Structure formats: C-alpha cells, structure tokens
Amino acid sequence: MSIVVFVEDWNGAYKKASFEAVGYAKNWASMIGAKVIAVTSSEAPAAELADYGADHCIQISLGQTAMGIAGQLEALSADASGVVIAGTSLGRSVAPALAAIKESALSTNTISLPLGTSPLQVKRGAFSSKGIETIELSGASPIISFVPNSIGIENASGEGVIESQEIPATELLQVVGTEVASGKVALPEAEAVVSAGRGLKGPENWGMIEELAEVLGAATACSKPVSDIGWRPHSEHVGQTGIQVNPNLYIAIGISGAIQHLAGVSASKTIVVVNTDPEAPFFKAADYGIVGDAFEVVPKLVNALRAFKAAS
Ligand SMILES: Cc1cc2nc3c(=O)[nH]c(=O)nc-3n(C[C@H](O)[C@H](O)[C@H](O)COP(=O)(O)OP(=O)(O)OC[C@H]3O[C@@H](n4cnc5c(N)ncnc54)[C@H](O)[C@@H]3O)c2cc1C
C-alpha cells in the first residue's frame, strides 16, 4: 500500500509546502501501514524528502501544465491508497484535474490530518473559509489538497529510495511564454505577508510596502481594487476572488477589511492592521491594530525592524 505525494520545487529547491505535503502523507500512511511515494521533477537531494517521511522518491520529467502533470500522477498512483497535493497555485489546478481523471473523491482546502481512514475523514475550510466542515471521502484512492501552512512541518524518517521513471505527459495546451511575478517571496506559501490597499493613494507609494516586506522576508499583496486599477499586478490580489493566504503574519495597511478581503486572509495566524479610521472593519479581525497614517507608521516600522535586526 502507498500514499503518493506530489512534490514541487522552486529554483531547484523543494518548496516548504512540499515538505509539509510529505509529512502529511507520512501521517496518513502510518495510520494505514503504507509507504510514502514522493513524485518530483526536482534534482534537489532526495534525502531532504526522506527527512520528512518519503520512502520512495520517483524522479520524473513533469509535464508543463496541470493536465499533463495530473495524467502522470494518475499513472503513478493507480494502486495508491491516496494522493496528497499541497494547495499551492499549481497544486490547486493539478488536484481537481487528477480527481477528474481518476474519478476519485477530492478534499480541497483541507486543514486537518486524517481524523479517520475508513472512510477517510478530514476537516476543510468551507464558505470561503468562514466555516469548517468535516467530510468523509468514499471510493478508492481519495485525494487530499491541503492549505499550505495549516498542518505544519515535522521531521519523520523515510527510506528515501530513489527511482527514475519516464512517463510522457499528454498536454492539451503548450506554454508559449512565462512571466514571473515580481514579489521575491511566493505569495500563496509565504509565512509573512505585507498587504496594502487603496489607503496607499497610488502605486508610487509602494516602495515603503516593499521595504517592510523585504526587512520581514515577507511577500507583498494587495486588495482587489488596487490590482483592478493597475497599481499592483493581479498576482498579488488576495481575498475571496483572489489568492487565499494562510501566513503566520499578515500586515494589512490602508485596507478597510471588507468581507470579501477577509475571506482570503482571515486564516492568518496573526493579523496586524494599520488604518487611519478607528472604525475600519479590519480592526475587528485584528490581533494588533495601529490607528494611524500609513505614511508615518510604515517608515517607523521599517526603521524599528532594521534596528532590531542590526542589534540581534
Ligand atoms: C463579488 C466581490 C468580490 C470581491 N472580492 C474581493 C477580494 O477578493 N479581495 C478584496 O480585497 N476585495 C474584494 N472585493 C472588494 C471589497 O468589497 C472592497 O471593496 C475592497 O476590499 C476594498 O479595498 P480597500 O480596502 O483597498 O479600499 P477602501 O475600501 O477604499 O479602503 C481603504 C482604507 O484605507 C484607509 N486609509 C486611507 N488613508 C489611509 C492612510 N493614509 N493610512 C492608513 N489607512 C488609510 C481607509 O480608512 C480605508 O479603511 C470584492 C467585492 C465584490 C462585490
């Protein structure tokens, strides 16, 4: 028996969400006495995956698109008891494609390890993550797509046997150009996010947001109107109709806190809000709030953090 886990890398290094995915698979596999098979196109050391519980690492040249990758994962998971895919940008496309091809049950937005395995039972975010539902997945080889950073990473030892396979990907479309998002840290998997809204007045004022993000090692994000008017790229738009994030720290600057924005960020572990309006709805969702002008508060935060880093 096996649990197959899809492993992604970025610039030659495994993504943190991939370690979380391998750990998830290990937990599930331990409950049913199965092995963990990690599938990756990365040439990063397989031993790194073994440290989180991978027993076998299948290295394969992965397809270019979600459909191509899903077809390859189907071939590799034909006899598997289940599949784990982190809910990254790519993972959120691969998981439903794989579920359709395999005709398997899929839990998206999963936020718990299996609560039971016969049938598989997990908790998932529902109603734009405003609620949590417990679901049971029936049928063979169910698929779990979990919210990155919701499970956590723990070390576990796996056998780490490496194997190469060649399974050609069947692509329905070809990627003819790629544009890489400007942020230095990938937003969906970021541990800290500095986000700004219309309170910033214009795109020329984002320098201080980028500075704050840089000093914190955070990704940058924005509200929907900000990307709609072209102040920031759409890849930074968070909320109900944008990217859903789950960082340890979410700093919201000059964002009112409309329900559609909160739907994509309220799962953040700690929320800090900077807003001139003490009645701004975001303060109700905040762990820490600063009633103040972003143009005064943010430079002070940057200076204080730089001084703190220099001293420590
Ligand atoms: C179907 C639907 C889907 C939507 N999906 C999304 C979504 O996914 N994501 C999203 O973000 N929105 C979404 N929206 C839009 C949402 O309803 C809000 O309109 C939007 O989030 C408001 O953006 P904002 O907070 O940047 O702007 P505003 O509402 O204009 O708020 C600006 C805030 O900045 C504060 N401010 C002003 N000056 C300063 C200053 N100098 N310093 C500090 N604070 C200052 C103000 O007090 C105010 O609270 C959606 C709307 C609909 C109808």
Side-chain angles (χ1 to χ4, degrees), residues 272-302:
V272 178
V273 170
V274 180
N275 199 302
T276 42
D277 177 6
E279 302 297 324
F282 223 142
F283 282 119
K284 290 203 178 81
D287 297 287
Y288 300 94
I290 302 172
V291 178
D293 187 333
F295 297 94
E296 290 172 18
V297 174
V298 175
K300 281 186 188 165
L301 272 176
V302 171

PDB file of all heavy atoms in Angstrom, residues 272-302:
ATOM      1  N   VAL A 272      -2.121  42.052  11.755  1.00  0.00           N
ATOM      2  CA  VAL A 272      -1.796  43.406  12.221  1.00  0.00           C
ATOM      3  C   VAL A 272      -2.421  44.391  11.232  1.00  0.00           C
ATOM      4  O   VAL A 272      -2.247  44.237  10.022  1.00  0.00           O
ATOM      5  CB  VAL A 272      -0.261  43.616  12.270  1.00  0.00           C
ATOM      6  CG1 VAL A 272       0.072  45.037  12.720  1.00  0.00           C
ATOM      7  CG2 VAL A 272       0.393  42.596  13.187  1.00  0.00           C
ATOM      8  N   VAL A 273      -3.158  45.376  11.747  1.00  0.00           N
ATOM      9  CA  VAL A 273      -3.852  46.319  10.868  1.00  0.00           C
ATOM     10  C   VAL A 273      -3.366  47.743  11.124  1.00  0.00           C
ATOM     11  O   VAL A 273      -3.234  48.166  12.283  1.00  0.00           O
ATOM     12  CB  VAL A 273      -5.382  46.228  11.098  1.00  0.00           C
ATOM     13  CG1 VAL A 273      -6.114  47.364  10.389  1.00  0.00           C
ATOM     14  CG2 VAL A 273      -5.910  44.879  10.611  1.00  0.00           C
ATOM     15  N   VAL A 274      -3.064  48.453  10.050  1.00  0.00           N
ATOM     16  CA  VAL A 274      -2.707  49.878  10.143  1.00  0.00           C
ATOM     17  C   VAL A 274      -3.747  50.641   9.333  1.00  0.00           C
ATOM     18  O   VAL A 274      -3.881  50.421   8.126  1.00  0.00           O
ATOM     19  CB  VAL A 274      -1.300  50.150   9.559  1.00  0.00           C
ATOM     20  CG1 VAL A 274      -0.945  51.633   9.675  1.00  0.00           C
ATOM     21  CG2 VAL A 274      -0.248  49.281  10.227  1.00  0.00           C
ATOM     22  N   ASN A 275      -4.508  51.528  10.001  1.00  0.00           N
ATOM     23  CA  ASN A 275      -5.567  52.246   9.303  1.00  0.00           C
ATOM     24  C   ASN A 275      -5.847  53.551  10.041  1.00  0.00           C
ATOM     25  O   ASN A 275      -5.820  53.588  11.270  1.00  0.00           O
ATOM     26  CB  ASN A 275      -6.842  51.366   9.263  1.00  0.00           C
ATOM     27  CG  ASN A 275      -7.812  51.816   8.184  1.00  0.00           C
ATOM     28  OD1 ASN A 275      -8.255  52.962   8.168  1.00  0.00           O
ATOM     29  ND2 ASN A 275      -8.125  50.914   7.280  1.00  0.00           N
ATOM     30  N   THR A 276      -6.128  54.614   9.296  1.00  0.00           N
ATOM     31  CA  THR A 276      -6.416  55.913   9.925  1.00  0.00           C
ATOM     32  C   THR A 276      -7.790  55.932  10.582  1.00  0.00           C
ATOM     33  O   THR A 276      -8.026  56.728  11.490  1.00  0.00           O
ATOM     34  CB  THR A 276      -6.395  57.047   8.862  1.00  0.00           C
ATOM     35  OG1 THR A 276      -7.070  56.569   7.696  1.00  0.00           O
ATOM     36  CG2 THR A 276      -4.994  57.474   8.511  1.00  0.00           C
ATOM     37  N   ASP A 277      -8.674  55.040  10.124  1.00  0.00           N
ATOM     38  CA  ASP A 277     -10.057  55.055  10.613  1.00  0.00           C
ATOM     39  C   ASP A 277     -10.240  54.048  11.739  1.00  0.00           C
ATOM     40  O   ASP A 277     -10.210  52.832  11.494  1.00  0.00           O
ATOM     41  CB  ASP A 277     -10.995  54.719   9.431  1.00  0.00           C
ATOM     42  CG  ASP A 277     -12.452  54.643   9.851  1.00  0.00           C
ATOM     43  OD1 ASP A 277     -12.756  54.966  11.019  1.00  0.00           O
ATOM     44  OD2 ASP A 277     -13.281  54.246   9.014  1.00  0.00           O
ATOM     45  N   PRO A 278     -10.464  54.516  12.981  1.00  0.00           N
ATOM     46  CA  PRO A 278     -10.613  53.553  14.088  1.00  0.00           C
ATOM     47  C   PRO A 278     -11.827  52.644  13.925  1.00  0.00           C
ATOM     48  O   PRO A 278     -11.912  51.592  14.564  1.00  0.00           O
ATOM     49  CB  PRO A 278     -10.763  54.449  15.325  1.00  0.00           C
ATOM     50  CG  PRO A 278     -11.074  55.813  14.824  1.00  0.00           C
ATOM     51  CD  PRO A 278     -10.585  55.912  13.417  1.00  0.00           C
ATOM     52  N   GLU A 279     -12.772  53.039  13.067  1.00  0.00           N
ATOM     53  CA  GLU A 279     -13.976  52.226  12.832  1.00  0.00           C
ATOM     54  C   GLU A 279     -13.794  51.248  11.666  1.00  0.00           C
ATOM     55  O   GLU A 279     -14.741  50.554  11.279  1.00  0.00           O
ATOM     56  CB  GLU A 279     -15.188  53.126  12.515  1.00  0.00           C
ATOM     57  CG  GLU A 279     -15.543  54.150  13.590  1.00  0.00           C
ATOM     58  CD  GLU A 279     -15.949  53.490  14.904  1.00  0.00           C
ATOM     59  OE1 GLU A 279     -16.589  52.429  14.852  1.00  0.00           O
ATOM     60  OE2 GLU A 279     -15.573  54.019  15.969  1.00  0.00           O
ATOM     61  N   ALA A 280     -12.624  51.197  11.055  1.00  0.00           N
ATOM     62  CA  ALA A 280     -12.413  50.288   9.909  1.00  0.00           C
ATOM     63  C   ALA A 280     -12.722  48.853  10.341  1.00  0.00           C
ATOM     64  O   ALA A 280     -12.250  48.386  11.388  1.00  0.00           O
ATOM     65  CB  ALA A 280     -10.972  50.391   9.412  1.00  0.00           C
ATOM     66  N   PRO A 281     -13.541  48.114   9.552  1.00  0.00           N
ATOM     67  CA  PRO A 281     -13.940  46.751   9.958  1.00  0.00           C
ATOM     68  C   PRO A 281     -12.772  45.816  10.211  1.00  0.00           C
ATOM     69  O   PRO A 281     -12.883  44.873  10.998  1.00  0.00           O
ATOM     70  CB  PRO A 281     -14.777  46.254   8.767  1.00  0.00           C
ATOM     71  CG  PRO A 281     -15.096  47.445   7.938  1.00  0.00           C
ATOM     72  CD  PRO A 281     -14.155  48.553   8.299  1.00  0.00           C
ATOM     73  N   PHE A 282     -11.623  46.073   9.557  1.00  0.00           N
ATOM     74  CA  PHE A 282     -10.474  45.161   9.708  1.00  0.00           C
ATOM     75  C   PHE A 282     -10.033  45.041  11.163  1.00  0.00           C
ATOM     76  O   PHE A 282      -9.514  44.010  11.593  1.00  0.00           O
ATOM     77  CB  PHE A 282      -9.294  45.636   8.846  1.00  0.00           C
ATOM     78  CG  PHE A 282      -8.599  44.521   8.114  1.00  0.00           C
ATOM     79  CD1 PHE A 282      -8.125  44.707   6.823  1.00  0.00           C
ATOM     80  CD2 PHE A 282      -8.402  43.277   8.704  1.00  0.00           C
ATOM     81  CE1 PHE A 282      -7.480  43.685   6.133  1.00  0.00           C
ATOM     82  CE2 PHE A 282      -7.764  42.250   8.020  1.00  0.00           C
ATOM     83  CZ  PHE A 282      -7.305  42.461   6.741  1.00  0.00           C
ATOM     84  N   PHE A 283     -10.234  46.129  11.961  1.00  0.00           N
ATOM     85  CA  PHE A 283      -9.769  46.068  13.348  1.00  0.00           C
ATOM     86  C   PHE A 283     -10.464  44.947  14.129  1.00  0.00           C
ATOM     87  O   PHE A 283      -9.903  44.412  15.074  1.00  0.00           O
ATOM     88  CB  PHE A 283      -9.980  47.421  14.042  1.00  0.00           C
ATOM     89  CG  PHE A 283      -8.937  48.441  13.658  1.00  0.00           C
ATOM     90  CD1 PHE A 283      -9.282  49.627  13.035  1.00  0.00           C
ATOM     91  CD2 PHE A 283      -7.592  48.208  13.917  1.00  0.00           C
ATOM     92  CE1 PHE A 283      -8.324  50.559  12.672  1.00  0.00           C
ATOM     93  CE2 PHE A 283      -6.614  49.131  13.562  1.00  0.00           C
ATOM     94  CZ  PHE A 283      -6.986  50.310  12.931  1.00  0.00           C
ATOM     95  N   LYS A 284     -11.700  44.583  13.712  1.00  0.00           N
ATOM     96  CA  LYS A 284     -12.437  43.508  14.423  1.00  0.00           C
ATOM     97  C   LYS A 284     -11.759  42.143  14.203  1.00  0.00           C
ATOM     98  O   LYS A 284     -11.895  41.240  15.013  1.00  0.00           O
ATOM     99  CB  LYS A 284     -13.887  43.442  13.928  1.00  0.00           C
ATOM    100  CG  LYS A 284     -14.725  44.637  14.349  1.00  0.00           C
ATOM    101  CD  LYS A 284     -16.217  44.283  14.335  1.00  0.00           C
ATOM    102  CE  LYS A 284     -17.075  45.441  14.809  1.00  0.00           C
ATOM    103  NZ  LYS A 284     -17.332  46.436  13.764  1.00  0.00           N
ATOM    104  N   ALA A 285     -11.044  42.012  13.088  1.00  0.00           N
ATOM    105  CA  ALA A 285     -10.378  40.735  12.796  1.00  0.00           C
ATOM    106  C   ALA A 285      -8.908  40.766  13.219  1.00  0.00           C
ATOM    107  O   ALA A 285      -8.202  39.772  13.071  1.00  0.00           O
ATOM    108  CB  ALA A 285     -10.469  40.444  11.303  1.00  0.00           C
ATOM    109  N   ALA A 286      -8.449  41.916  13.755  1.00  0.00           N
ATOM    110  CA  ALA A 286      -7.007  42.086  14.002  1.00  0.00           C
ATOM    111  C   ALA A 286      -6.580  41.557  15.368  1.00  0.00           C
ATOM    112  O   ALA A 286      -7.344  41.604  16.332  1.00  0.00           O
ATOM    113  CB  ALA A 286      -6.650  43.571  13.900  1.00  0.00           C
ATOM    114  N   ASP A 287      -5.361  41.044  15.436  1.00  0.00           N
ATOM    115  CA  ASP A 287      -4.754  40.709  16.730  1.00  0.00           C
ATOM    116  C   ASP A 287      -4.077  41.955  17.304  1.00  0.00           C
ATOM    117  O   ASP A 287      -4.051  42.171  18.504  1.00  0.00           O
ATOM    118  CB  ASP A 287      -3.724  39.593  16.547  1.00  0.00           C
ATOM    119  CG  ASP A 287      -4.377  38.311  16.054  1.00  0.00           C
ATOM    120  OD1 ASP A 287      -5.055  37.664  16.856  1.00  0.00           O
ATOM    121  OD2 ASP A 287      -4.257  37.994  14.852  1.00  0.00           O
ATOM    122  N   TYR A 288      -3.497  42.755  16.410  1.00  0.00           N
ATOM    123  CA  TYR A 288      -2.863  44.019  16.814  1.00  0.00           C
ATOM    124  C   TYR A 288      -3.321  45.099  15.840  1.00  0.00           C
ATOM    125  O   TYR A 288      -3.378  44.853  14.634  1.00  0.00           O
ATOM    126  CB  TYR A 288      -1.334  43.926  16.766  1.00  0.00           C
ATOM    127  CG  TYR A 288      -0.768  42.861  17.678  1.00  0.00           C
ATOM    128  CD1 TYR A 288      -0.508  41.584  17.203  1.00  0.00           C
ATOM    129  CD2 TYR A 288      -0.525  43.126  19.029  1.00  0.00           C
ATOM    130  CE1 TYR A 288      -0.016  40.591  18.039  1.00  0.00           C
ATOM    131  CE2 TYR A 288      -0.029  42.141  19.870  1.00  0.00           C
ATOM    132  CZ  TYR A 288       0.218  40.873  19.371  1.00  0.00           C
ATOM    133  OH  TYR A 288       0.695  39.908  20.211  1.00  0.00           O
ATOM    134  N   GLY A 289      -3.662  46.275  16.361  1.00  0.00           N
ATOM    135  CA  GLY A 289      -4.116  47.345  15.483  1.00  0.00           C
ATOM    136  C   GLY A 289      -3.383  48.639  15.769  1.00  0.00           C
ATOM    137  O   GLY A 289      -3.100  48.961  16.927  1.00  0.00           O
ATOM    138  N   ILE A 290      -3.036  49.351  14.718  1.00  0.00           N
ATOM    139  CA  ILE A 290      -2.435  50.677  14.871  1.00  0.00           C
ATOM    140  C   ILE A 290      -3.349  51.669  14.162  1.00  0.00           C
ATOM    141  O   ILE A 290      -3.521  51.581  12.939  1.00  0.00           O
ATOM    142  CB  ILE A 290      -1.020  50.750  14.257  1.00  0.00           C
ATOM    143  CG1 ILE A 290      -0.111  49.707  14.896  1.00  0.00           C
ATOM    144  CG2 ILE A 290      -0.433  52.159  14.395  1.00  0.00           C
ATOM    145  CD1 ILE A 290       1.256  49.564  14.223  1.00  0.00           C
ATOM    146  N   VAL A 291      -3.980  52.579  14.939  1.00  0.00           N
ATOM    147  CA  VAL A 291      -4.777  53.637  14.309  1.00  0.00           C
ATOM    148  C   VAL A 291      -3.789  54.745  13.961  1.00  0.00           C
ATOM    149  O   VAL A 291      -3.239  55.410  14.845  1.00  0.00           O
ATOM    150  CB  VAL A 291      -5.878  54.164  15.260  1.00  0.00           C
ATOM    151  CG1 VAL A 291      -6.658  55.289  14.582  1.00  0.00           C
ATOM    152  CG2 VAL A 291      -6.813  53.033  15.669  1.00  0.00           C
ATOM    153  N   GLY A 292      -3.507  54.876  12.673  1.00  0.00           N
ATOM    154  CA  GLY A 292      -2.505  55.865  12.278  1.00  0.00           C
ATOM    155  C   GLY A 292      -2.352  55.924  10.780  1.00  0.00           C
ATOM    156  O   GLY A 292      -2.863  55.066  10.044  1.00  0.00           O
ATOM    157  N   ASP A 293      -1.619  56.932  10.349  1.00  0.00           N
ATOM    158  CA  ASP A 293      -1.388  57.181   8.920  1.00  0.00           C
ATOM    159  C   ASP A 293      -0.249  56.267   8.438  1.00  0.00           C
ATOM    160  O   ASP A 293       0.858  56.290   8.993  1.00  0.00           O
ATOM    161  CB  ASP A 293      -1.003  58.661   8.761  1.00  0.00           C
ATOM    162  CG  ASP A 293      -0.905  59.063   7.301  1.00  0.00           C
ATOM    163  OD1 ASP A 293      -0.630  58.196   6.449  1.00  0.00           O
ATOM    164  OD2 ASP A 293      -1.117  60.259   7.020  1.00  0.00           O
ATOM    165  N   ALA A 294      -0.546  55.480   7.411  1.00  0.00           N
ATOM    166  CA  ALA A 294       0.461  54.546   6.881  1.00  0.00           C
ATOM    167  C   ALA A 294       1.765  55.260   6.543  1.00  0.00           C
ATOM    168  O   ALA A 294       2.852  54.693   6.722  1.00  0.00           O
ATOM    169  CB  ALA A 294      -0.087  53.863   5.633  1.00  0.00           C
ATOM    170  N   PHE A 295       1.659  56.514   6.083  1.00  0.00           N
ATOM    171  CA  PHE A 295       2.865  57.219   5.637  1.00  0.00           C
ATOM    172  C   PHE A 295       3.759  57.612   6.812  1.00  0.00           C
ATOM    173  O   PHE A 295       4.931  57.911   6.636  1.00  0.00           O
ATOM    174  CB  PHE A 295       2.467  58.440   4.791  1.00  0.00           C
ATOM    175  CG  PHE A 295       1.748  58.019   3.535  1.00  0.00           C
ATOM    176  CD1 PHE A 295       0.359  57.956   3.496  1.00  0.00           C
ATOM    177  CD2 PHE A 295       2.453  57.617   2.412  1.00  0.00           C
ATOM    178  CE1 PHE A 295      -0.305  57.538   2.355  1.00  0.00           C
ATOM    179  CE2 PHE A 295       1.800  57.181   1.271  1.00  0.00           C
ATOM    180  CZ  PHE A 295       0.416  57.144   1.231  1.00  0.00           C
ATOM    181  N   GLU A 296       3.183  57.593   8.033  1.00  0.00           N
ATOM    182  CA  GLU A 296       4.015  57.821   9.221  1.00  0.00           C
ATOM    183  C   GLU A 296       4.402  56.489   9.866  1.00  0.00           C
ATOM    184  O   GLU A 296       5.536  56.298  10.292  1.00  0.00           O
ATOM    185  CB  GLU A 296       3.237  58.652  10.252  1.00  0.00           C
ATOM    186  CG  GLU A 296       3.028  60.098   9.827  1.00  0.00           C
ATOM    187  CD  GLU A 296       2.089  60.832  10.773  1.00  0.00           C
ATOM    188  OE1 GLU A 296       1.874  60.353  11.907  1.00  0.00           O
ATOM    189  OE2 GLU A 296       1.560  61.871  10.350  1.00  0.00           O
ATOM    190  N   VAL A 297       3.432  55.560   9.933  1.00  0.00           N
ATOM    191  CA  VAL A 297       3.641  54.316  10.685  1.00  0.00           C
ATOM    192  C   VAL A 297       4.631  53.381   9.981  1.00  0.00           C
ATOM    193  O   VAL A 297       5.542  52.836  10.616  1.00  0.00           O
ATOM    194  CB  VAL A 297       2.285  53.594  10.904  1.00  0.00           C
ATOM    195  CG1 VAL A 297       2.504  52.234  11.561  1.00  0.00           C
ATOM    196  CG2 VAL A 297       1.350  54.448  11.745  1.00  0.00           C
ATOM    197  N   VAL A 298       4.464  53.205   8.652  1.00  0.00           N
ATOM    198  CA  VAL A 298       5.274  52.183   7.959  1.00  0.00           C
ATOM    199  C   VAL A 298       6.775  52.525   7.996  1.00  0.00           C
ATOM    200  O   VAL A 298       7.592  51.653   8.336  1.00  0.00           O
ATOM    201  CB  VAL A 298       4.754  51.943   6.523  1.00  0.00           C
ATOM    202  CG1 VAL A 298       5.655  50.970   5.768  1.00  0.00           C
ATOM    203  CG2 VAL A 298       3.326  51.396   6.573  1.00  0.00           C
ATOM    204  N   PRO A 299       7.188  53.774   7.680  1.00  0.00           N
ATOM    205  CA  PRO A 299       8.629  54.059   7.781  1.00  0.00           C
ATOM    206  C   PRO A 299       9.176  53.816   9.189  1.00  0.00           C
ATOM    207  O   PRO A 299      10.300  53.329   9.349  1.00  0.00           O
ATOM    208  CB  PRO A 299       8.725  55.535   7.392  1.00  0.00           C
ATOM    209  CG  PRO A 299       7.506  55.785   6.543  1.00  0.00           C
ATOM    210  CD  PRO A 299       6.441  54.916   7.129  1.00  0.00           C
ATOM    211  N   LYS A 300       8.347  54.132  10.224  1.00  0.00           N
ATOM    212  CA  LYS A 300       8.809  53.884  11.602  1.00  0.00           C
ATOM    213  C   LYS A 300       8.974  52.389  11.853  1.00  0.00           C
ATOM    214  O   LYS A 300       9.935  51.964  12.503  1.00  0.00           O
ATOM    215  CB  LYS A 300       7.796  54.464  12.604  1.00  0.00           C
ATOM    216  CG  LYS A 300       7.913  55.971  12.779  1.00  0.00           C
ATOM    217  CD  LYS A 300       6.989  56.441  13.877  1.00  0.00           C
ATOM    218  CE  LYS A 300       6.976  57.968  13.911  1.00  0.00           C
ATOM    219  NZ  LYS A 300       5.873  58.501  14.689  1.00  0.00           N
ATOM    220  N   LEU A 301       8.030  51.596  11.325  1.00  0.00           N
ATOM    221  CA  LEU A 301       8.137  50.138  11.483  1.00  0.00           C
ATOM    222  C   LEU A 301       9.396  49.608  10.812  1.00  0.00           C
ATOM    223  O   LEU A 301      10.132  48.788  11.381  1.00  0.00           O
ATOM    224  CB  LEU A 301       6.919  49.455  10.852  1.00  0.00           C
ATOM    225  CG  LEU A 301       5.665  49.254  11.705  1.00  0.00           C
ATOM    226  CD1 LEU A 301       4.545  48.648  10.851  1.00  0.00           C
ATOM    227  CD2 LEU A 301       5.957  48.339  12.879  1.00  0.00           C
ATOM    228  N   VAL A 302       9.661  50.112   9.595  1.00  0.00           N
ATOM    229  CA  VAL A 302      10.844  49.650   8.842  1.00  0.00           C
ATOM    230  C   VAL A 302      12.109  49.980   9.639  1.00  0.00           C
ATOM    231  O   VAL A 302      12.988  49.121   9.836  1.00  0.00           O
ATOM    232  CB  VAL A 302      10.890  50.287   7.438  1.00  0.00           C
ATOM    233  CG1 VAL A 302      12.217  49.994   6.746  1.00  0.00           C
ATOM    234  CG2 VAL A 302       9.722  49.795   6.583  1.00  0.00           C
TER     235      VAL A 302
END
